[in-house]
Amino acid sequence: MSYKVGLVGKPSVGKSSFFNAATMNDVPEGAYPFTTIDPSVGEAYVGVDCPAPEFDETCEPNHGFCREDTRFVPVKLVDVAGLIPGAHEGKGLGNQFLSDLNEADVLVHVVDFSGTTDIEGEPTEGHDPREDIDFLEEELDQWYLDILEKGIEKFESMYQGPNPGDEIGVEEVLAEQMSAFRTNKDEIKQTVLALDLELDPETWDADDRFDLAREIRKRTKPMVIAANKMDTPTARDNYEAITTDPEYEHLTIVPASAHAEGSLKKADEAGVVDYTQGDDDFDIVGDVSDEQEQGLEVIREFVTEYGGTGVQEVIEAALFEELDAKAVFPGSANGSWSKGPFRDCFVLPGYATAEDFAYTLHSDIGDGFLHGIDCRSGRQVGADTVLDHRDVVEIVTTG
């Protein structure tokens, strides 16, 4: 499965800079609204401890790359056009934003924690980042509520038939109405019951409908907050205040500096530093001026304090924590590799089984599935066996 991470946020918070730092793509950057007009798609990476050393092998990646025994597996990162309040009503680039956003499996909300851009993305001072976090959640909740209301109206207008057996449950109608969010009737029913609501919209008041829309949104569009510009003192103060505020306990907030990550990657490519994305330190290996060295030492202070620049950590938190995804490697139980060892690594849903993995490799492999082999233990695994993160599995098939 190819996961897609949606990069969202108001204008001028450093979203394009974050995108560039994560993908090293060249999209326009600028401190003015709507720098990004069309969604830009790039390749970011999640880091996974490479299993090759455990098997006395050197991996030969077909996709992504391996560096210092960390396998970097590609995922799609989409930089969606800037959002402003009222997007769910079509203001700004709202309709296009929501359409592009709906393609994402998980969201990364880039927030300027330095407080130097207001709610419209204009320069200011002392802006509370809480307002940015709240406004995006509210926009998404209102978007979901609008669609939920249409589903309720459709259900209430339906003729249910003369017999009780003819009745269609509200969960079926809502699931169909909200199918673009990749939900289904079972998930809708679970959500309704989890809120202690009856499966009857006539018993729901306005607050119940909003709460239901919000809960469906949280379950279908999980979100990580990238606390950007954390290399400034004000941002650190805001981070401390927000992460200790009970109102924001439901969110994963990762301190980050897109500027630091972009600078280190460019310096690494130029041979000035030795840096691997996600690391909490780096070595200066090239000739640098006193001014450049001073700038790098400022970055070093930040990455050592926070355990990295945060850019890599944000992407990995989105997939491995919010989506509960896992990485699985095709293996060889007898150590015989037809095309080179550990060429592939697949990021799968947390519930993926051995048979699901077989179908990920190829539909014919899935159709002919007999069993899997755990390449570490040598034991057979059945079709329904749920795989673990970093499992190495050989699939035995009739083909």
Side-chain angles (χ1 to χ4, degrees):
M1 179 176 181
S2 179
Y3 282 105
K4 186 177 290 186
V5 179
L7 202 60
V8 299
K10 72 181 186 184
S12 309
V13 296
K15 186 161 58 71
S16 293
S17 298
F18 188 100
F19 177 88
N20 285 343
T23 65
M24 292 306 288
N25 282 17
D26 184 19
V27 301
E29 298 177 17
Y32 53 90
F34 306 132
T35 300
T36 308
I37 301 300
D38 298 315
S40 298
V41 182
E43 193 171 75
Y45 300 89
V46 289
V48 181
D49 289 341
C50 184
E54 300 175 49
F55 295 84
D56 295 323
E57 298 281 5
T58 300
C59 71
E60 300 177 9
N62 186 34
H63 300 288
F65 60 96
C66 195
R67 187 169 181 179
E68 297 179 0
D69 295 333
T70 298
R71 184 68 169 263
F72 290 95
V73 185
V75 295
K76 290 182 180 178
L77 185 64
V78 181
D79 181 10
V80 182
L83 174 68
I84 63 171
H88 74 279
E89 299 173 341
K91 295 180 180 178
L93 303 176
N95 291 333
Q96 185 61 46
F97 171 88
L98 297 174
S99 176
D100 295 332
L101 188 69
N102 202 35
E103 297 300 316
D105 299 292
V106 62
L107 307 180
V108 170
H109 182 191
V110 181
V111 177
D112 176 4
F113 262 55
S114 71
T116 55
T117 49
D118 66 17
I119 200 68
E120 300 284 352
E122 299 293 342
T124 190
E125 292 182 4
H127 180 72
D128 190 343
R130 290 179 180 86
E131 293 186 30
D132 300 341
I133 296 173
D134 294 345
F135 108 80
L136 179 56
E137 289 201 306
E138 289 167 5
E139 287 295 335
L140 297 182
D141 292 342
Q142 289 297 330
W143 176 35
Y144 271 65
L145 180 61
D146 289 345
I147 297 174
L148 177 70
E149 293 283 12
K150 293 176 182 177
I152 294 173
E153 291 175 7
K154 182 178 180 181
F155 174 77
E156 292 176 339
S157 66
M158 292 178 66
Y159 173 66
Q160 299 290 345
N163 303 311
D166 295 334
E167 294 181 358
I168 299 176
V170 65
E171 67 272 20
E172 295 183 54
V173 179
L174 294 183
E176 180 181 358
Q177 186 69 35
M178 308 187 82
S179 60
F181 299 130
R182 303 171 193 173
T183 188
N184 55 57
K185 63 179 183 179
D186 293 332
E187 292 175 349
I188 294 291
K189 183 176 181 178
Q190 290 171 5
T191 307
V192 172
L193 297 178
L195 293 175
D196 293 326
L197 299 177
E198 297 180 31
L199 290 169
D200 180 5
E202 290 188 1
T203 65
W204 303 345
D205 60 23
D207 289 339
D208 292 333
R209 296 182 182 205
F210 179 81
D211 290 343
L212 179 57
R214 179 179 176 83
E215 188 62 27
I216 295 173
R217 189 270 299 171
K218 289 166 66 176
R219 295 186 180 208
T220 59
K221 283 287 181 284
M223 184 187 306
V224 174
I225 303 297
N228 198 29
K229 304 184 183 180
M230 279 290 295
D231 47 357
T232 63
T234 303
R236 299 183 186 196
D237 291 341
N238 285 331
Y239 176 79
E240 177 66 23
I242 294 172
T243 54
T244 55
D245 186 338
E247 292 292 324
Y248 298 90
E249 287 180 349
H250 67 288
L251 290 170
T252 298
I253 304 176
V254 181
S257 170
H259 166 72
E261 179 72 8
S263 298
L264 288 177
K265 281 185 175 177
K266 289 176 181 177
D268 181 74
E269 288 184 352
V272 174
V273 304
D274 182 13
Y275 170 70
T276 299
Q277 58 200 79
D279 281 358
D280 60 1
D281 203 356
F282 57 90
D283 295 319
I284 300 176
V285 296
D287 294 330
V288 294
S289 66
D290 291 342
E291 184 179 359
Q292 289 173 321
E293 183 175 3
Q294 183 178 2
L296 287 170
E297 291 304 328
V298 170
I299 293 177
R300 189 194 305 277
E301 180 182 353
F302 171 76
V303 299
T304 54
E305 180 179 354
Y306 288 96
T309 68
V311 172
Q312 187 68 30
E313 290 81 356
V314 165
I315 304 299
E316 291 172 5
L319 261 71
F320 295 137
E321 294 181 26
E322 293 303 312
L323 285 182
D324 191 31
K326 59 191 174 188
V328 180
F329 294 81
S332 171
N334 62 10
S336 175
W337 303 88
S338 60
K339 296 182 180 180
F342 296 99
R343 296 181 73 247
D344 297 306
C345 178
F346 296 89
V347 179
L348 305 176
Y351 55 79
T353 64
E355 187 175 40
D356 293 331
F357 180 49
Y359 274 108
T360 299
L361 298 175
H362 196 282
S363 59
D364 290 343
I365 295 176
D367 289 341
F369 179 89
L370 294 176
H371 62 264
I373 301 177
D374 183 325
C375 294
R376 288 190 175 91
S377 66
R379 66 179 178 85
Q380 288 191 11
V381 294
D384 295 334
T385 301
V386 177
L387 302 180
D388 291 327
H389 183 55
R390 294 187 65 250
D391 267 355
V392 181
V393 179
E394 178 179 352
I395 300 297
V396 179
T397 175
T398 56

